Amino acid sequence: MHFGRPIMKLEYFADTDSLSIDFRSQPSVENAEISTGVVVDYDADGRVAGIDIDNASHKLDLTRVVLSKLPGAVETHSS
């Protein structure tokens, strides 16, 4: 667990075909739809906290994710 530490997390929900990308562990307090079905979440300091994408498989190629030269640990979970 990463108590109080910022984490970046990508999570795909097949039942709703949505992709959630969290950039921070802080909760979002504001959001803006920047394109149809694409919502950017902001934290209390105005920083981007996450992005939610509806109908993700129609907007993105979800068959492959490449993580390159990240300074932190990378974890994978499948369920």
Side-chain angles (χ1 to χ4, degrees):
M1 297 195 129
H2 303 275
F3 294 105
R5 292 177 41 201
I7 61 169
M8 182 176 185
K9 181 171 80 171
L10 284 76
E11 191 168 7
Y12 177 69
F13 302 93
D15 57 331
T16 59
D17 189 23
S18 59
L19 178 68
S20 174
I21 306 168
D22 294 322
F23 297 113
R24 309 185 163 283
S25 54
Q26 294 88 356
S28 61
V29 296
E30 185 178 344
N31 61 51
E33 186 171 29
I34 61 168
S35 180
T36 303
V38 179
V39 177
V40 176
D41 300 316
Y42 300 93
D43 68 11
D45 294 322
R47 296 177 295 196
V48 175
I51 300 173
D52 297 307
I53 303 171
D54 293 333
N55 299 311
S57 68
H58 299 283
K59 296 175 181 167
L60 307 167
D61 181 357
L62 299 173
T63 59
R64 185 173 177 212
V65 175
V66 176
L67 303 173
S68 178
K69 299 179 185 173
L70 295 175
V74 175
E75 298 176 22
T76 60
H77 301 266
S78 60
S79 51

